[in-house]
Amino acid sequence: MTVIDISPSVMQFLLAFIVVAPLLGAVAALLPAPPGLRGKNPDQAVLRHGVTVTGAVLIAAIVLAAGFDHDQPATMQATTDISWIPALGVRIHLGIDGISLPLLLLTALLTFLCALYSYFKLPAGPSPKAFIALVLVLESGTLATFAVLDLLLFFLAFEMVLIPMYFLIARWGGDQRRAAAWKFILYTLLGSVVMLLGLLLIGLKSGTFDMVALATDNGRGLTTSVQVIAVLAIGVGLAVKTPMWPLHSWLPDAHTAAPTVGSVLLAGVLLKMGTYGFVRILLPVAPDGMRTFAPYLAAFAVVGIVYGSLACLALARNGAKGDLKRLIAYSSVGHMGFVLLGIATMTPTGVNGALFANIAHGLITGLLFFLVGAIKDRYGTADLDTLAGATGAALYGRAPRLGALLAFAAVASLGLPGLAGFWGEMLTLFGAYSPAEGLSRPAFRTFMAIGAFGTLLTAAYMLIVVRRVCMGEHTPHSQLSPDDRTPPPADGPGRPTAAGSPSQLADIQTYEAAAWTPLAALTVLAGLWPAILLGLTDPAVQKLLAGGKS
């Protein structure tokens, strides 16, 4: 069943266009604008170019999804397979199935919303041309990661996003941006070197780099020792990008220093590249190796869940001077822990839960970083003590719609039933209750219990954040520090009330509503109608785990 009937050749073109168009758009952004498109302000012209290119890619992705055969989500569709480097057996092989299509749509949506937001609120830094070009290169690399079906092409696309994100943090970020950018690039590059060795090992030992052929073979052409070494090498590289505890320490620094759109893209799509690699490559290609490491992966995952939650609780407590962006970054460590736990179960239930949690995290955490960026713009800081102590009413009294949306995103993040965050965590825990054959059921049920405890910790710190940031501390004025008593600067978005009080903040602006509403709406839609995602992923996951057999 398709929403609209599209010929295979047009589907091929659409997928190729989605991958290549942002790269061509990045080149065009650096060129002088044609006379008719320059407008009065060259900076606004290039920002408009970014919105146009990302919008065209999003429309193409929606049309591709409409032409996707939903009766056969386990079959690769819109495929292109042409020889590229015959000597190495490398082919330009593109295609999508029910696993990659949601991630493709999420990437196209988030990048468009970031471009739209940047048109009205460009972060302080160098040339807007360079900013838009970097965002478009980042989009192209991320989309290619989810669309390519060749191991070496996957590695190239996986690496393609590193340099743009490095410069977005280093040139347009906040305090400590250079140190955070260096930490990001060093961690991810070192992980990628090890991952490349694992990919080459699989390709050379099996005689092919084709991911579809390798998944169909299901590890039968690889010895157990080769699979174990490959999973260890590739898993390290993927775990750094995910990020898995204890390889996560680059993430809080990167998020804290990154501009708002950098944080949205980093949390919303870049982290998904690591978990996607686990599902697309390691589970079907090296099942024996994955079975060997699955208990350790699950153990690291649940430690990450608890560790991320405890770090958030420490940052959220009164007097800790915790940064709200840093807190949400640590929350991502916990949420991605649920994704890794689901993958480690090696069951359809767990893997479907992991893929659902991936999409939910992209929607909810993307929205949270948008909101925190807006709050930081208004207050001039993301320090929790300052945000809570600035007034007794805090956001509910100063910008009620902004406060309400922050509370909505927070309760979605803690997994409230009826919202997207609930289903991924629930299915992951169900998968851990009954893991795949050959895995220790008592061990995984212990991991399930620890993960369930982590959901309680998540609820605790998210509710503390809502109470403090949205409701305030009601601290007597005499006990406030001088910084807490100071109203926002006169040239900032704060504006006086009718009574002349300086405490009122600008509430949600039109461009902010345009960028944030789709994420909130999709969070509700996925929560109320989970079959919209599970109907795509489940048949593809069943086929993947069965060794290419539907």
Side-chain angles (χ1 to χ4, degrees):
M1 179 192 71
T2 60
V3 177
I4 55 176
D5 190 20
I6 301 177
S7 68
S9 59
V10 174
M11 291 285 283
Q12 289 178 342
F13 170 78
L14 285 171
L15 184 57
F17 173 83
I18 287 167
V19 173
V20 175
L23 203 56
L24 299 177
V27 174
L30 297 174
L31 300 175
L37 299 177
R38 288 175 187 169
K40 296 180 180 180
N41 186 337
D43 290 349
Q44 289 298 101
V46 74
L47 293 173
R48 186 166 57 247
H49 169 77
V51 175
T52 302
V53 174
T54 56
V57 171
L58 176 59
I59 291 171
I62 293 172
V63 174
L64 183 72
F68 187 84
D69 187 351
H70 292 259
D71 288 334
Q72 297 182 342
T75 303
M76 285 294 171
Q77 302 181 34
T79 54
T80 299
D81 188 6
I82 56 178
S83 179
W84 184 37
I85 309 176
L88 297 177
V90 179
R91 308 182 67 81
I92 298 178
H93 191 183
L94 305 177
I96 55 167
D97 63 358
I99 293 171
S100 51
L101 179 61
L103 291 165
L104 207 74
L105 288 167
L106 176 68
T107 302
L109 173 64
L110 281 176
T111 313
F112 170 71
L113 296 180
C114 285
L116 180 65
Y117 187 84
S118 299
Y119 181 81
F120 296 95
K121 190 70 178 177
L122 182 70
S127 162
K129 281 190 172 186
F131 178 84
I132 290 300
L134 290 169
V135 169
L136 291 174
V137 172
L138 186 71
E139 179 182 30
S140 180
T142 311
L143 290 168
T145 301
F146 300 136
V148 298
L149 297 172
D150 183 276
L151 289 180
L152 292 186
L153 277 184
F154 174 86
F155 177 78
L156 293 177
F158 197 85
E159 294 302 286
M160 186 175 166
V161 305
L162 300 185
I163 299 303
M165 182 54 70
Y166 167 81
F167 281 109
L168 285 174
I169 296 171
R171 302 301 299 276
W172 284 270
D175 296 337
Q176 304 296 320
R177 60 183 181 270
R178 293 190 184 278
W182 273 111
K183 197 170 186 179
F184 162 76
I185 200 75
L186 288 175
Y187 265 75
T188 50
L189 278 179
L190 287 173
S192 298
V193 169
V194 180
M195 183 176 76
L196 177 60
L197 296 176
L199 294 174
L200 290 174
L201 177 65
I202 287 177
L204 295 174
K205 289 293 184 180
S206 63
T208 181
F209 290 99
D210 187 271
M211 291 159 66
V212 176
L214 287 167
T216 303
D217 187 63
N218 200 221
R220 286 181 285 271
L222 301 171
T223 64
T224 301
S225 59
V226 168
Q227 291 190 37
V228 168
I229 295 170
V231 169
L232 181 61
I234 298 171
V236 168
L238 297 175
V240 170
K241 185 67 72 73
T242 299
M244 180 187 77
W245 181 91
L247 304 174
H248 69 283
S249 60
W250 61 269
L251 184 70
D253 292 338
H255 271 309
T256 304
T260 297
V261 296
S263 291
V264 171
L265 293 174
L266 180 59
V269 293
L270 262 67
L271 303 189
K272 312 300 174 285
M273 294 164 64
T275 52
Y276 174 78
F278 275 104
V279 175
R280 177 64 73 197
I281 299 173
L282 293 185
L283 278 177
V285 175
D288 293 337
M290 271 298 293
R291 197 169 287 107
T292 299
F293 283 105
Y296 304 102
L297 180 63
F300 283 126
V302 296
V303 170
I305 292 170
V306 175
Y307 170 82
S309 298
L310 291 177
C312 290
L313 282 170
L315 289 170
R317 76 177 190 275
N318 191 10
K321 291 292 179 183
D323 186 283
L324 189 51
K325 286 189 74 175
R326 195 174 190 84
L327 184 146
I328 295 172
Y330 273 111
S331 78
S332 291
V333 176
H335 287 304
M336 298 312 289
F338 279 103
V339 177
L340 291 172
L341 177 60
I343 293 169
T345 67
M346 299 184 69
T347 62
T349 302
V351 176
N352 275 304
L355 293 172
F356 200 106
N358 250 349
I359 300 299
H361 180 264
L363 295 172
I364 297 166
T365 308
L367 177 58
L368 278 169
F369 275 116
F370 267 134
L371 292 167
V372 174
I375 292 170
K376 188 173 183 178
D377 289 337
R378 286 158 168 78
Y379 279 92
T381 181
D383 178 76
L384 271 166
D385 290 339
T386 303
L387 297 179
T391 72
L395 273 184
Y396 284 161
R398 305 184 69 187
R401 287 188 290 275
L402 184 60
L405 192 55
L406 177 64
F408 166 82
V411 297
S413 183
L414 64 83
L416 185 73
L419 299 176
F422 170 74
W423 295 104
E425 294 181 3
M426 185 192 72
L427 290 172
T428 293
L429 295 176
F430 279 173
Y433 182 81
S434 183
E437 186 179 350
L439 298 179
S440 170
R441 183 164 293 189
F444 271 83
R445 288 186 177 177
T446 302
F447 298 145
M448 180 198 73
I450 298 172
F453 176 67
T455 63
L456 299 178
L457 295 178
T458 302
Y461 72 74
M462 277 299 179
L463 292 176
I464 290 173
V465 167
V466 170
R467 178 180 59 78
R468 297 193 68 204
V469 177
C470 296
M471 303 176 189
E473 296 288 355
H474 299 284
T475 307
H477 188 269
S478 60
Q479 296 179 18
L480 293 177
S481 68
D483 290 340
D484 292 335
R485 299 175 196 172
T486 304
D491 59 350
R495 63 173 185 265
T497 61
S501 167
S503 65
Q504 191 70 10
L505 290 177
D507 213 331
I508 296 177
Q509 307 295 298
T510 303
Y511 72 92
E512 293 173 330
W516 303 343
T517 301
L519 299 179
L522 288 172
T523 298
V524 175
L525 179 63
L528 295 178
W529 189 18
I532 197 171
L533 271 178
L534 295 175
L536 284 172
T537 62
D538 185 51
V541 167
Q542 297 272 5
K543 181 178 179 180
L544 210 64
L545 294 177
K549 303 180 184 66
S550 299

